[in-house]
Amino acid sequence: MYKLDQIKEIHLELTNKCQASCPMCQRNIQGGIANPWLIETEITIDQFKKWFPIPFIKQLTKLFMCGNSGDAIVAKDTLKVFQYVREHNSNIELGLHTNGSAQSEKWWEQLAKLNVFVTFGIDGLADTHSLYRIGTNFDKIINNATVFIQSGGLARWHMLVFEHNKHQIDECRSLSEKLGFSEFVQKNSARFRDGHLPVLTKEGKTSHIIYPTERSIDISKKLFSIKLEETKKINCKVKKDKSLFVGADGSVTPCCWLDYTGTTPNTFSLVDYKDQGFVNPNLNTQSFEDIFESQFFNRIEETWSNKPLRACTKQCGEVDKANEQFR
């Protein structure tokens, strides 16, 4: 697939901990019930220095923190990791995707000084945002974002659009411009399965129901109408970008889609992954050199010409009838 000295980008999940309970996140079951397969952990600055030696950091062009399960702003060493990387690579692009509902104003000021580009997940205004971003505080997020931007930081407002907040898109965009966000992005979720999502309390009772937009329904129908066996080619984005994903437990995979930490054991993609003989290598027991010498990445690419991994097919597979990629 590629060699160690060719790696340019690192997608890092510094922690799988999070203070939020978003009902479509694998941290929980529909918002209220904790995922029994998720063991919380985080990467310390000492671990990071051991796993990412200075020569390796110097070859990178990008490092961004965005978790499958966690949010890096709740980890204790996030600033230290960014500082360490910036110290040894002044030109690297640093990024963070976050709910923004934690840390002090001073913390956000320091982050801005490190030239970290931050994407804030803000899904509406004060009356709708927390219907999905359960456990977060809209006012605190706006204050943190404001402090960050006024301290010189570049920020993007990323809005997940649902039926309950779609009427606020224009107002959110206007507020983002007023506050100084450099970009406003809206996205419709394709994770709905039954046309709605009951949000559960910790006791397992329904607190409210989230409904998809018409656009979400269209995307879901189009995506799930594609049969995996119709895939003719794998157009791997991370191979093109020369990127790696490193999970909070030290697992290493080409991308976040192949990291199954904390997922349900009977997930179709995980079952397929194991059936084809794959087990994620881990930086707690192997170095990057060891992992590449094991031919782990090459074995994944070899599946593409015969029986591609289900995750590869779903995320980067091209199909004749649609002639497009779904991500």
Side-chain angles (χ1 to χ4, degrees), residues 87-326:
E87 176 186 353
H88 297 290
N89 189 334
S90 60
N91 296 318
I92 191 172
E93 177 185 346
L94 299 177
L96 169 68
H97 197 300
T98 178
N99 63 53
S101 188
Q103 296 298 346
S104 65
E105 292 184 358
K106 182 179 180 181
W107 190 94
W108 287 100
E109 290 173 356
Q110 291 177 300
L111 187 68
K113 302 305 180 186
L114 292 170
N115 193 23
V116 178
F117 184 82
V118 177
T119 297
F120 288 86
I122 310 176
D123 304 333
L125 300 174
D127 60 330
T128 61
H129 168 78
S130 295
L131 291 176
Y132 181 74
R133 301 277 176 174
I134 299 168
T136 66
N137 184 298
F138 179 82
D139 292 333
K140 182 173 180 60
I141 297 166
I142 295 300
N143 183 67
N144 286 342
T146 299
V147 170
F148 177 75
I149 292 169
Q150 291 180 348
S151 299
L154 286 176
R156 173 193 293 119
W157 181 313
H158 185 282
M159 179 181 181
L160 286 176
V161 181
F162 303 99
E163 188 66 23
H164 65 259
N165 66 2
K166 67 179 185 180
H167 62 290
Q168 297 178 332
I169 293 174
D170 290 340
E171 195 173 351
C172 287
R173 181 183 288 106
S174 295
L175 180 58
S176 74
E177 294 172 354
K178 178 181 178 182
L179 295 176
F181 282 84
S182 63
E183 189 178 357
F184 178 85
V185 177
Q186 63 188 71
K187 182 178 180 181
N188 291 268
S189 175
R191 295 186 179 184
F192 288 93
R193 297 293 183 270
D194 301 315
H196 68 289
L197 176 68
V199 178
L200 304 179
T201 64
K202 293 182 180 179
E203 293 73 34
K205 298 180 179 180
T206 299
S207 63
H208 60 282
I209 298 176
I210 293 178
Y211 294 94
T213 61
E214 291 182 1
R215 176 59 177 155
S216 287
I217 294 173
D218 289 342
I219 293 173
S220 295
K221 286 181 178 179
K222 198 171 185 180
L223 176 61
F224 291 105
S225 69
I226 300 298
K227 297 180 181 179
L228 299 185
E229 60 268 21
E230 292 175 333
T231 298
K232 302 301 181 182
K233 179 182 178 182
I234 302 298
N235 187 9
C236 180
K237 182 179 184 298
V238 295
K239 179 181 179 181
K240 177 182 177 182
D241 294 341
K242 295 181 173 57
S243 176
L244 289 180
F245 176 83
V246 178
D249 66 340
S251 63
V252 178
T253 59
C255 67
C256 63
W257 301 107
L258 290 175
D259 180 70
Y260 296 110
T261 304
T263 55
T264 307
N266 61 356
T267 300
F268 289 132
S269 293
L270 175 56
V271 172
D272 169 63
Y273 192 68
K274 289 184 175 180
D275 283 349
Q276 296 208 46
F278 288 97
V279 177
N280 288 349
N282 194 290
L283 289 170
N284 282 298
T285 57
Q286 298 171 275
S287 66
F288 277 121
E289 289 83 357
D290 294 335
I291 294 170
F292 274 87
E293 288 178 4
S294 72
Q295 300 299 305
F296 170 73
F297 300 105
N298 289 334
R299 288 196 297 115
I300 288 178
E301 184 171 7
E302 288 170 0
T303 69
W304 299 345
S305 60
N306 182 24
K307 184 184 178 183
L309 291 170
R310 187 180 180 92
C312 296
T313 300
K314 182 179 178 181
Q315 303 303 329
C316 293
E318 295 181 353
V319 291
D320 285 350
K321 76 173 185 178
N323 193 29
E324 61 181 333
Q325 296 176 52
F326 294 90

Side-chain angles (χ1 to χ4, degrees), residues 11-22:
H11 177 181
L12 178 67
E13 180 174 51
L14 197 68
T15 181
N16 57 17
K17 301 175 184 177
C18 187
Q19 84 282 41
S21 299
C22 303

